[in-house]
Amino acid sequence: MSTAPKIWTRETGLVEKRDVWTAMKRGFRSRCPRCGEGKLFRAFLKTADNCSVCGLDFTPHRADDLPAYLVIVIVGHIVVPTILWIETNYTTPVWLSFAAYLPFTFFASLGLLQPVKGAVVGLQWALRMHGFDENPPDGIPPV
């Protein structure tokens, strides 16, 4: 660790403003959280190495399992009340229930997984998490 004291000036406090909601909306649309133009993904869940328009490096993101957990919560909050409402108010055969609920749950989860991951990457960029900060603290090795 560096023992030299940091001297704060007006210039050290001037950093790029990053709006959290704008970055998350851009990420949700699978676009670069900085410029909103370049593609965020090169495959279904693989982020591109960098933005083709502004050059933002996407490699430091650490979305890990958070998008999957969020998708489970979102889809669960839609599917479970719907199932409970249908099953308490109507009498449906079991085969019809499985034929309707399982595919809906599967496709809703698949449909939300990439947008939610993009929003998580946008959130990390906006909050300068992990390697998205221009000036990382001294003494912390890169991940």
Side-chain angles (χ1 to χ4, degrees):
M1 300 258 330
S2 175
T3 58
K6 292 191 179 215
I7 299 172
W8 293 97
T9 62
R10 175 174 283 180
E11 287 75 31
T12 58
L14 295 175
V15 293
E16 173 188 15
K17 299 275 187 203
R18 297 181 180 178
D19 183 40
V20 174
W21 295 113
T22 302
M24 288 180 66
K25 283 188 273 186
R26 289 174 177 169
F28 191 83
R29 292 188 340 252
S30 299
R31 296 292 174 201
C32 172
R34 181 195 289 165
C35 68
E37 298 294 324
K39 290 184 178 181
L40 182 59
F41 295 100
R42 62 182 158 104
F44 181 62
L45 289 178
K46 296 283 185 186
T47 57
D49 293 332
N50 54 23
C51 177
S52 60
V53 177
C54 70
L56 176 65
D57 184 20
F58 298 134
T59 56
H61 89 84
R62 298 280 307 227
D64 297 334
D65 292 334
L66 180 62
Y69 291 127
L70 292 176
V71 167
I72 290 170
V73 168
I74 293 167
V75 173
H77 276 81
I78 295 169
V79 170
V80 171
T82 304
I83 290 173
L84 290 174
W85 178 76
I86 290 172
E87 293 299 322
T88 55
N89 292 326
Y90 304 101
T91 307
T92 58
V94 174
W95 69 268
L96 182 61
S97 298
F98 282 129
Y101 305 145
L102 292 178
F104 176 77
T105 304
F106 178 73
F107 289 115
S109 298
L110 276 182
L112 281 176
L113 198 53
Q114 187 181 35
V116 169
K117 182 173 181 174
V120 168
V121 172
L123 176 71
Q124 290 177 354
W125 175 80
L127 296 179
R128 302 178 196 288
M129 296 172 72
H130 308 297
F132 285 121
D133 191 8
E134 294 88 12
N135 301 314
D138 295 333
I140 298 177
V143 178

mmCIF file of all heavy atoms in Angstrom, residues 75-94 96-106:
data_model
loop_
_atom_site.group_PDB
_atom_site.id
_atom_site.type_symbol
_atom_site.label_atom_id
_atom_site.label_comp_id
_atom_site.label_asym_id
_atom_site.label_seq_id
_atom_site.Cartn_x
_atom_site.Cartn_y
_atom_site.Cartn_z
ATOM 1 N N VAL A 75 -39.841 -13.622 -12.746
ATOM 2 C CA VAL A 75 -40.764 -14.599 -13.333
ATOM 3 C C VAL A 75 -41.593 -15.269 -12.236
ATOM 4 O O VAL A 75 -42.795 -15.491 -12.415
ATOM 5 C CB VAL A 75 -39.998 -15.634 -14.183
ATOM 6 C CG1 VAL A 75 -40.907 -16.752 -14.646
ATOM 7 C CG2 VAL A 75 -39.362 -14.954 -15.378
ATOM 8 N N GLY A 76 -40.985 -15.555 -11.105
ATOM 9 C CA GLY A 76 -41.728 -16.156 -9.994
ATOM 10 C C GLY A 76 -42.848 -15.261 -9.486
ATOM 11 O O GLY A 76 -43.930 -15.741 -9.141
ATOM 12 N N HIS A 77 -42.597 -13.951 -9.459
ATOM 13 C CA HIS A 77 -43.640 -13.027 -8.997
ATOM 14 C C HIS A 77 -44.760 -12.855 -10.021
ATOM 15 O O HIS A 77 -45.827 -12.332 -9.695
ATOM 16 C CB HIS A 77 -43.031 -11.669 -8.660
ATOM 17 C CG HIS A 77 -42.465 -11.618 -7.276
ATOM 18 N ND1 HIS A 77 -41.226 -12.128 -6.971
ATOM 19 C CD2 HIS A 77 -42.971 -11.151 -6.122
ATOM 20 C CE1 HIS A 77 -40.989 -11.948 -5.685
ATOM 21 N NE2 HIS A 77 -42.034 -11.360 -5.143
ATOM 22 N N ILE A 78 -44.524 -13.256 -11.245
ATOM 23 C CA ILE A 78 -45.578 -13.219 -12.256
ATOM 24 C C ILE A 78 -46.318 -14.554 -12.301
ATOM 25 O O ILE A 78 -47.550 -14.600 -12.308
ATOM 26 C CB ILE A 78 -44.991 -12.878 -13.642
ATOM 27 C CG1 ILE A 78 -44.429 -11.459 -13.636
ATOM 28 C CG2 ILE A 78 -46.031 -13.045 -14.733
ATOM 29 C CD1 ILE A 78 -43.600 -11.116 -14.865
ATOM 30 N N VAL A 79 -45.568 -15.642 -12.322
ATOM 31 C CA VAL A 79 -46.151 -16.972 -12.525
ATOM 32 C C VAL A 79 -46.911 -17.464 -11.300
ATOM 33 O O VAL A 79 -48.044 -17.959 -11.426
ATOM 34 C CB VAL A 79 -45.051 -17.975 -12.939
ATOM 35 C CG1 VAL A 79 -45.570 -19.399 -12.921
ATOM 36 C CG2 VAL A 79 -44.524 -17.631 -14.314
ATOM 37 N N VAL A 80 -46.333 -17.357 -10.132
ATOM 38 C CA VAL A 80 -46.963 -17.932 -8.933
ATOM 39 C C VAL A 80 -48.323 -17.301 -8.633
ATOM 40 O O VAL A 80 -49.300 -18.025 -8.441
ATOM 41 C CB VAL A 80 -46.004 -17.860 -7.723
ATOM 42 C CG1 VAL A 80 -46.706 -18.245 -6.444
ATOM 43 C CG2 VAL A 80 -44.794 -18.763 -7.959
ATOM 44 N N PRO A 81 -48.483 -15.977 -8.587
ATOM 45 C CA PRO A 81 -49.821 -15.434 -8.352
ATOM 46 C C PRO A 81 -50.821 -15.796 -9.449
ATOM 47 O O PRO A 81 -52.000 -16.039 -9.167
ATOM 48 C CB PRO A 81 -49.607 -13.921 -8.302
ATOM 49 C CG PRO A 81 -48.186 -13.731 -7.998
ATOM 50 C CD PRO A 81 -47.477 -14.900 -8.585
ATOM 51 N N THR A 82 -50.325 -15.860 -10.689
ATOM 52 C CA THR A 82 -51.214 -16.243 -11.788
ATOM 53 C C THR A 82 -51.697 -17.678 -11.616
ATOM 54 O O THR A 82 -52.895 -17.963 -11.787
ATOM 55 C CB THR A 82 -50.487 -16.087 -13.141
ATOM 56 O OG1 THR A 82 -50.019 -14.748 -13.251
ATOM 57 C CG2 THR A 82 -51.403 -16.412 -14.295
ATOM 58 N N ILE A 83 -50.787 -18.572 -11.294
ATOM 59 C CA ILE A 83 -51.164 -19.977 -11.066
ATOM 60 C C ILE A 83 -52.132 -20.092 -9.900
ATOM 61 O O ILE A 83 -53.145 -20.799 -9.983
ATOM 62 C CB ILE A 83 -49.916 -20.847 -10.834
ATOM 63 C CG1 ILE A 83 -49.115 -20.978 -12.129
ATOM 64 C CG2 ILE A 83 -50.292 -22.222 -10.302
ATOM 65 C CD1 ILE A 83 -47.784 -21.686 -11.958
ATOM 66 N N LEU A 84 -51.849 -19.402 -8.820
ATOM 67 C CA LEU A 84 -52.743 -19.459 -7.658
ATOM 68 C C LEU A 84 -54.127 -18.923 -7.994
ATOM 69 O O LEU A 84 -55.144 -19.487 -7.577
ATOM 70 C CB LEU A 84 -52.144 -18.689 -6.480
ATOM 71 C CG LEU A 84 -50.926 -19.324 -5.825
ATOM 72 C CD1 LEU A 84 -50.346 -18.389 -4.779
ATOM 73 C CD2 LEU A 84 -51.301 -20.659 -5.204
ATOM 74 N N TRP A 85 -54.188 -17.852 -8.746
ATOM 75 C CA TRP A 85 -55.483 -17.274 -9.121
ATOM 76 C C TRP A 85 -56.259 -18.236 -10.022
ATOM 77 O O TRP A 85 -57.456 -18.462 -9.817
ATOM 78 C CB TRP A 85 -55.267 -15.928 -9.818
ATOM 79 C CG TRP A 85 -56.546 -15.306 -10.257
ATOM 80 C CD1 TRP A 85 -57.469 -14.677 -9.468
ATOM 81 C CD2 TRP A 85 -57.066 -15.272 -11.589
ATOM 82 N NE1 TRP A 85 -58.520 -14.246 -10.239
ATOM 83 C CE2 TRP A 85 -58.289 -14.600 -11.541
ATOM 84 C CE3 TRP A 85 -56.604 -15.737 -12.802
ATOM 85 C CZ2 TRP A 85 -59.067 -14.385 -12.674
ATOM 86 C CZ3 TRP A 85 -57.376 -15.517 -13.930
ATOM 87 C CH2 TRP A 85 -58.598 -14.854 -13.849
ATOM 88 N N ILE A 86 -55.580 -18.797 -11.020
ATOM 89 C CA ILE A 86 -56.260 -19.712 -11.943
ATOM 90 C C ILE A 86 -56.708 -20.980 -11.223
ATOM 91 O O ILE A 86 -57.841 -21.439 -11.398
ATOM 92 C CB ILE A 86 -55.350 -20.056 -13.139
ATOM 93 C CG1 ILE A 86 -55.198 -18.817 -14.026
ATOM 94 C CG2 ILE A 86 -55.899 -21.225 -13.954
ATOM 95 C CD1 ILE A 86 -54.171 -18.978 -15.135
ATOM 96 N N GLU A 87 -55.851 -21.526 -10.397
ATOM 97 C CA GLU A 87 -56.181 -22.797 -9.728
ATOM 98 C C GLU A 87 -57.270 -22.634 -8.657
ATOM 99 O O GLU A 87 -57.982 -23.577 -8.366
ATOM 100 C CB GLU A 87 -54.928 -23.417 -9.112
ATOM 101 C CG GLU A 87 -53.916 -23.880 -10.133
ATOM 102 C CD GLU A 87 -54.446 -24.948 -11.066
ATOM 103 O OE1 GLU A 87 -55.200 -25.829 -10.606
ATOM 104 O OE2 GLU A 87 -54.100 -24.906 -12.259
ATOM 105 N N THR A 88 -57.383 -21.459 -8.061
ATOM 106 C CA THR A 88 -58.437 -21.261 -7.057
ATOM 107 C C THR A 88 -59.778 -20.889 -7.678
ATOM 108 O O THR A 88 -60.825 -21.158 -7.092
ATOM 109 C CB THR A 88 -58.044 -20.178 -6.032
ATOM 110 O OG1 THR A 88 -57.724 -18.980 -6.719
ATOM 111 C CG2 THR A 88 -56.876 -20.629 -5.188
ATOM 112 N N ASN A 89 -59.751 -20.284 -8.851
ATOM 113 C CA ASN A 89 -61.000 -19.840 -9.477
ATOM 114 C C ASN A 89 -61.528 -20.768 -10.565
ATOM 115 O O ASN A 89 -62.700 -20.698 -10.901
ATOM 116 C CB ASN A 89 -60.823 -18.435 -10.057
ATOM 117 C CG ASN A 89 -60.648 -17.409 -8.971
ATOM 118 O OD1 ASN A 89 -61.229 -17.524 -7.896
ATOM 119 N ND2 ASN A 89 -59.839 -16.419 -9.233
ATOM 120 N N TYR A 90 -60.671 -21.595 -11.123
ATOM 121 C CA TYR A 90 -61.082 -22.480 -12.211
ATOM 122 C C TYR A 90 -60.585 -23.891 -11.935
ATOM 123 O O TYR A 90 -59.593 -24.087 -11.243
ATOM 124 C CB TYR A 90 -60.522 -22.001 -13.561
ATOM 125 C CG TYR A 90 -60.916 -20.584 -13.881
ATOM 126 C CD1 TYR A 90 -60.024 -19.533 -13.692
ATOM 127 C CD2 TYR A 90 -62.177 -20.290 -14.357
ATOM 128 C CE1 TYR A 90 -60.379 -18.228 -13.974
ATOM 129 C CE2 TYR A 90 -62.547 -18.991 -14.636
ATOM 130 C CZ TYR A 90 -61.645 -17.963 -14.450
ATOM 131 O OH TYR A 90 -62.007 -16.674 -14.729
ATOM 132 N N THR A 91 -61.267 -24.849 -12.503
ATOM 133 C CA THR A 91 -60.839 -26.230 -12.385
ATOM 134 C C THR A 91 -60.230 -26.650 -13.713
ATOM 135 O O THR A 91 -60.942 -26.840 -14.704
ATOM 136 C CB THR A 91 -62.043 -27.145 -12.057
ATOM 137 O OG1 THR A 91 -62.718 -26.624 -10.923
ATOM 138 C CG2 THR A 91 -61.595 -28.556 -11.779
ATOM 139 N N THR A 92 -58.918 -26.771 -13.718
ATOM 140 C CA THR A 92 -58.224 -27.165 -14.946
ATOM 141 C C THR A 92 -57.577 -28.530 -14.740
ATOM 142 O O THR A 92 -57.109 -28.837 -13.640
ATOM 143 C CB THR A 92 -57.131 -26.152 -15.324
ATOM 144 O OG1 THR A 92 -56.213 -26.048 -14.241
ATOM 145 C CG2 THR A 92 -57.721 -24.789 -15.614
ATOM 146 N N PRO A 93 -57.545 -29.340 -15.783
ATOM 147 C CA PRO A 93 -56.849 -30.620 -15.658
ATOM 148 C C PRO A 93 -55.349 -30.405 -15.441
ATOM 149 O O PRO A 93 -54.786 -29.391 -15.868
ATOM 150 C CB PRO A 93 -57.099 -31.305 -17.003
ATOM 151 C CG PRO A 93 -58.117 -30.498 -17.707
ATOM 152 C CD PRO A 93 -58.191 -29.165 -17.053
ATOM 153 N N VAL A 94 -54.716 -31.355 -14.791
ATOM 154 C CA VAL A 94 -53.292 -31.227 -14.482
ATOM 155 C C VAL A 94 -52.457 -31.124 -15.761
ATOM 156 O O VAL A 94 -51.527 -30.327 -15.842
ATOM 157 C CB VAL A 94 -52.835 -32.421 -13.608
ATOM 158 C CG1 VAL A 94 -51.335 -32.389 -13.384
ATOM 159 C CG2 VAL A 94 -53.555 -32.403 -12.279
ATOM 160 N N LEU A 96 -53.249 -29.869 -18.594
ATOM 161 C CA LEU A 96 -53.399 -28.542 -19.183
ATOM 162 C C LEU A 96 -52.598 -27.505 -18.398
ATOM 163 O O LEU A 96 -51.985 -26.600 -18.979
ATOM 164 C CB LEU A 96 -54.879 -28.146 -19.238
ATOM 165 C CG LEU A 96 -55.197 -26.794 -19.867
ATOM 166 C CD1 LEU A 96 -54.744 -26.763 -21.325
ATOM 167 C CD2 LEU A 96 -56.672 -26.489 -19.760
ATOM 168 N N SER A 97 -52.599 -27.661 -17.086
ATOM 169 C CA SER A 97 -51.812 -26.747 -16.254
ATOM 170 C C SER A 97 -50.329 -26.840 -16.593
ATOM 171 O O SER A 97 -49.659 -25.823 -16.796
ATOM 172 C CB SER A 97 -52.022 -27.072 -14.778
ATOM 173 O OG SER A 97 -53.372 -26.905 -14.429
ATOM 174 N N PHE A 98 -49.806 -28.068 -16.648
ATOM 175 C CA PHE A 98 -48.398 -28.238 -16.993
ATOM 176 C C PHE A 98 -48.104 -27.767 -18.417
ATOM 177 O O PHE A 98 -47.049 -27.186 -18.679
ATOM 178 C CB PHE A 98 -47.971 -29.701 -16.839
ATOM 179 C CG PHE A 98 -47.726 -30.088 -15.408
ATOM 180 C CD1 PHE A 98 -48.323 -31.212 -14.877
ATOM 181 C CD2 PHE A 98 -46.893 -29.331 -14.596
ATOM 182 C CE1 PHE A 98 -48.104 -31.567 -13.563
ATOM 183 C CE2 PHE A 98 -46.667 -29.679 -13.283
ATOM 184 C CZ PHE A 98 -47.269 -30.805 -12.756
ATOM 185 N N ALA A 99 -49.024 -28.026 -19.329
ATOM 186 C CA ALA A 99 -48.820 -27.626 -20.717
ATOM 187 C C ALA A 99 -48.799 -26.102 -20.869
ATOM 188 O O ALA A 99 -48.198 -25.582 -21.810
ATOM 189 C CB ALA A 99 -49.911 -28.217 -21.601
ATOM 190 N N ALA A 100 -49.416 -25.382 -19.967
ATOM 191 C CA ALA A 100 -49.442 -23.922 -20.055
ATOM 192 C C ALA A 100 -48.352 -23.269 -19.204
ATOM 193 O O ALA A 100 -47.647 -22.369 -19.668
ATOM 194 C CB ALA A 100 -50.810 -23.403 -19.625
ATOM 195 N N TYR A 101 -48.210 -23.708 -17.952
ATOM 196 C CA TYR A 101 -47.312 -23.018 -17.015
ATOM 197 C C TYR A 101 -45.842 -23.271 -17.315
ATOM 198 O O TYR A 101 -45.027 -22.342 -17.235
ATOM 199 C CB TYR A 101 -47.602 -23.428 -15.575
ATOM 200 C CG TYR A 101 -49.032 -23.230 -15.145
ATOM 201 C CD1 TYR A 101 -49.638 -24.116 -14.271
ATOM 202 C CD2 TYR A 101 -49.779 -22.159 -15.603
ATOM 203 C CE1 TYR A 101 -50.951 -23.948 -13.874
ATOM 204 C CE2 TYR A 101 -51.091 -21.983 -15.212
ATOM 205 C CZ TYR A 101 -51.667 -22.880 -14.346
ATOM 206 O OH TYR A 101 -52.966 -22.717 -13.957
ATOM 207 N N LEU A 102 -45.476 -24.488 -17.617
ATOM 208 C CA LEU A 102 -44.063 -24.797 -17.828
ATOM 209 C C LEU A 102 -43.471 -24.090 -19.044
ATOM 210 O O LEU A 102 -42.403 -23.472 -18.921
ATOM 211 C CB LEU A 102 -43.859 -26.305 -17.908
ATOM 212 C CG LEU A 102 -44.115 -27.057 -16.594
ATOM 213 C CD1 LEU A 102 -43.929 -28.550 -16.789
ATOM 214 C CD2 LEU A 102 -43.212 -26.548 -15.500
ATOM 215 N N PRO A 103 -44.106 -24.141 -20.204
ATOM 216 C CA PRO A 103 -43.514 -23.406 -21.331
ATOM 217 C C PRO A 103 -43.469 -21.891 -21.103
ATOM 218 O O PRO A 103 -42.492 -21.235 -21.467
ATOM 219 C CB PRO A 103 -44.425 -23.737 -22.516
ATOM 220 C CG PRO A 103 -45.118 -24.980 -22.133
ATOM 221 C CD PRO A 103 -45.238 -24.950 -20.642
ATOM 222 N N PHE A 104 -44.513 -21.345 -20.489
ATOM 223 C CA PHE A 104 -44.498 -19.905 -20.215
ATOM 224 C C PHE A 104 -43.337 -19.540 -19.298
ATOM 225 O O PHE A 104 -42.611 -18.570 -19.545
ATOM 226 C CB PHE A 104 -45.818 -19.436 -19.594
ATOM 227 C CG PHE A 104 -45.777 -17.992 -19.212
ATOM 228 C CD1 PHE A 104 -45.900 -17.003 -20.176
ATOM 229 C CD2 PHE A 104 -45.562 -17.612 -17.893
ATOM 230 C CE1 PHE A 104 -45.829 -15.658 -19.837
ATOM 231 C CE2 PHE A 104 -45.486 -16.273 -17.548
ATOM 232 C CZ PHE A 104 -45.620 -15.294 -18.523
ATOM 233 N N THR A 105 -43.142 -20.314 -18.247
ATOM 234 C CA THR A 105 -42.053 -20.053 -17.308
ATOM 235 C C THR A 105 -40.701 -20.170 -18.014
ATOM 236 O O THR A 105 -39.810 -19.334 -17.821
ATOM 237 C CB THR A 105 -42.126 -21.030 -16.122
ATOM 238 O OG1 THR A 105 -43.412 -20.909 -15.513
ATOM 239 C CG2 THR A 105 -41.052 -20.739 -15.100
ATOM 240 N N PHE A 106 -40.539 -21.197 -18.823
ATOM 241 C CA PHE A 106 -39.284 -21.426 -19.538
ATOM 242 C C PHE A 106 -38.974 -20.275 -20.496
ATOM 243 O O PHE A 106 -37.884 -19.699 -20.468
ATOM 244 C CB PHE A 106 -39.363 -22.753 -20.297
ATOM 245 C CG PHE A 106 -38.146 -23.055 -21.108
ATOM 246 C CD1 PHE A 106 -36.964 -23.435 -20.499
ATOM 247 C CD2 PHE A 106 -38.181 -22.951 -22.489
ATOM 248 C CE1 PHE A 106 -35.839 -23.717 -21.245
ATOM 249 C CE2 PHE A 106 -37.061 -23.220 -23.246
ATOM 250 C CZ PHE A 106 -35.884 -23.615 -22.625
#
